[in-house]
Amino acid sequence: MKLDSISVHAGSLKDAISGGVNSPIITSSAFNYVNQSDVKYPRYFNTPNQRAVSRKIAALEGAQAGKVFSSGMAAISTSMFAFLHTGDHVVLQRNLYGGTTYLVNRMFTQFGIQFSFVDPTPEAVAAACKPETRLIYIETPSNPMLHLVDVAAIASVARERGIITLIDNTFASPINQQPLSLGIDISIHSGTKYLGGHSDLCCGAVATSHRIMEEIQQASINLGGSLDAQSCYLLERSLKTLGLRVHRQNEVAGRLAAFLENHPRVARVYYPGLASHPQHELARQQMTGFGGMMAFELTPDAPDATRFQEALRMVKPAVSLGGVETTVCSPVQTSHAKLTPEEREAQGITERLLRISSGVEDPADLIADFTQALAR
Ligand SMILES: *Cc1c(COP(=O)(O)O)cnc(C)c1O
């Protein structure tokens, strides 16, 4: 099956009671164990609804195995701690999602795990690897500047050294990027974003091989970040339109990026789908769509970021991303508020920078809203 069909069909449970077309929601946390091949329990990640949606995630990522978690951070922390011991070393891309950066800085230090944050070039990653390096962790496209990492090149640096690779594939979604086919071992999502897609669900997901999933399963049982049956079903339902939504979001983002790039009150647009993006060629090689996320910078004669956000009528200022509604946020006011001005400057994040998460609305309505807000 192709991705759009996988979105709709993969993994569903058969409804043996009524023959309904949807997976039934099986809410039990207590299951008969006599003469059963495995003992079912929500925190063992093996209840029917957990398994159904995990199969769909695996199929979407072209993976042997999938698993869903109670948040993106549960998926990220469990996947890393499954492999790490005191004294081990991890190479991570600089400027990761804030929550991942805090996890590494605080908890790796607490448990005596060494780490290096590096520019995510194959040369810098290779140079940072030591005999104790167990994991390499990347995130592409990155937040909020939409930098790309050459996924296949990083995967081959790791393979040569027997190091496990992890990618945060949240921004691209499996519709736009298939990291396992590029040689990555573990693909991770904040399901709260595109997989959920309606800004009403908090969950995470992991896709990998059977062999690696066995180790993640042990850590999952111990760390306990499991997802309940109702949320599993809601995620499964949301995923049926993942292909539909993401294709539309790609298209809306393309239209918005072209509009903003030509607007006199916009200084710069950061979007991998634009020919002006420094890594546009890499985006064409490793992504099948350019995604719904972009950032742009207002010129000094435009309204400032706060007034611009207040002036929008349909588009909502909001944190998080990936929903069917278009949202904007100022990284300085939200995700990057805790950084020093120098740290922000080093990343190119200014007071005038805004990030857009494209929804599925009519692009003409969105352009009209941005036009009137920029005219203030
Ligand atoms: C939101 C996000 C996370 C964390 O996910 P939660 O569901 O909030 O735990 C991780 N990575 C990226 C890129 C994100 O956008």
Side-chain angles (χ1 to χ4, degrees):
M1 282 192 283
K2 301 272 194 287
L3 284 173
D4 286 335
S5 313
I6 290 172
S7 296
V8 177
H9 293 289
S12 306
L13 293 176
K14 269 221 171 67
D15 177 357
I17 295 175
S18 71
V21 297
N22 289 316
S23 297
I25 305 174
I26 296 168
T27 54
S28 294
S29 60
F31 292 85
N32 185 354
Y33 67 94
V34 178
N35 297 325
Q36 300 293 315
S37 56
D38 62 345
V39 179
K40 287 190 187 54
Y41 186 61
R43 190 173 44 75
Y44 296 169
F45 293 71
N46 62 359
T47 62
N49 290 100
Q50 289 171 329
R51 286 197 158 150
V53 70
S54 297
R55 283 196 298 267
K56 197 190 280 291
I57 301 268
L60 282 165
E61 290 271 338
Q64 291 173 347
K67 191 181 286 296
V68 290
F69 292 84
S70 52
S71 69
M73 285 312 301
I76 292 168
S77 56
T78 305
S79 300
M80 290 212 268
F81 282 122
F83 297 97
L84 296 174
H85 301 76
T86 302
D88 284 347
H89 176 250
V90 184
V91 177
L92 307 106
Q93 165 180 349
R94 232 189 273 290
N95 308 332
L96 292 170
Y97 173 73
T100 311
T101 307
Y102 297 138
L103 170 77
V104 170
N105 282 333
R106 292 184 194 182
M107 300 205 72
F108 282 19
T109 307
Q110 204 175 323
F111 292 112
I113 297 159
Q114 318 167 61
F115 54 91
S116 312
F117 283 108
V118 302
D119 290 330
T121 62
E123 299 74 28
V125 169
C129 288
K130 313 182 194 188
E132 310 86 81
T133 305
R134 287 278 284 158
L135 306 177
I136 294 174
Y137 187 104
I138 57 173
E139 180 182 317
T140 179
S142 74
N143 180 35
M145 302 304 281
L146 287 301
H147 288 306
L148 264 53
V149 181
D150 186 334
V151 177
I154 301 292
S156 91
V157 166
R159 283 275 153 94
E160 284 162 13
R161 293 165 176 76
I163 299 170
I164 297 170
T165 43
L166 303 90
I167 189 170
D168 185 330
N169 201 29
T170 300
F171 264 41
S173 92
I175 302 299
N176 289 330
Q177 188 163 265
Q178 296 268 300
L180 270 52
S181 76
L182 297 167
I184 295 289
D185 295 309
I186 307 174
S187 179
I188 310 180
H189 288 272
S190 169
T192 314
K193 317 296 167 53
Y194 286 100
L195 304 189
H198 297 73
S199 310
D200 59 0
L201 190 54
C202 181
C203 59
V206 168
T208 185
S209 65
H210 286 309
R211 188 178 56 79
I212 288 179
M213 192 61 91
E214 270 175 38
E215 301 205 39
I216 295 178
Q217 167 69 358
Q218 292 311 313
S220 301
I221 291 172
N222 289 328
L223 294 171
S226 55
L227 193 65
D228 66 280
Q230 311 273 357
S231 300
C232 286
Y233 177 76
L234 196 53
L235 177 60
E236 184 186 332
R237 195 185 78 153
S238 300
L239 286 171
K240 292 185 184 188
T241 57
L242 182 71
L244 199 61
R245 285 186 279 110
V246 171
H247 293 310
R248 171 71 172 178
Q249 284 164 314
N250 290 343
E251 180 199 332
V252 170
R255 294 275 297 278
L256 281 178
F259 159 75
L260 290 170
E261 192 170 47
N262 289 311
H263 197 287
R265 287 188 154 183
V266 173
R268 262 200 85 170
V269 182
Y270 303 89
Y271 182 61
L274 290 174
S276 60
H277 189 283
Q279 294 161 302
H280 180 60
E281 264 318 303
L282 177 60
R284 294 176 70 96
Q285 277 167 37
Q286 70 181 21
M287 301 180 78
T288 46
F290 301 118
M293 300 303 299
M294 79 187 75
F296 71 99
E297 190 158 310
L298 295 159
T299 59
D301 66 328
D304 68 23
T306 301
R307 290 190 44 214
F308 174 78
Q309 291 177 87
E310 286 167 357
L312 290 166
R313 291 175 186 150
M314 184 172 82
V315 176
K316 294 181 177 66
V319 295
S320 197
L321 60 109
V324 291
E325 62 286 306
T326 299
T327 57
V328 294
C329 78
S330 153
V332 171
Q333 294 169 6
T334 57
S335 52
H336 294 69
K338 286 186 196 149
L339 270 58
T340 64
E342 295 73 37
E343 286 172 324
R344 286 199 291 256
E345 193 173 326
Q347 293 187 44
I349 299 170
T350 68
E351 303 274 339
R352 311 192 74 81
L353 186 81
L354 288 160
R355 190 190 75 181
I356 299 178
S357 169
S358 309
V360 301
E361 302 95 330
D362 191 312
D365 288 331
L366 294 167
I367 287 171
D369 199 13
F370 282 115
T371 301
Q372 64 81 24
L374 284 165
R376 296 296 174 92

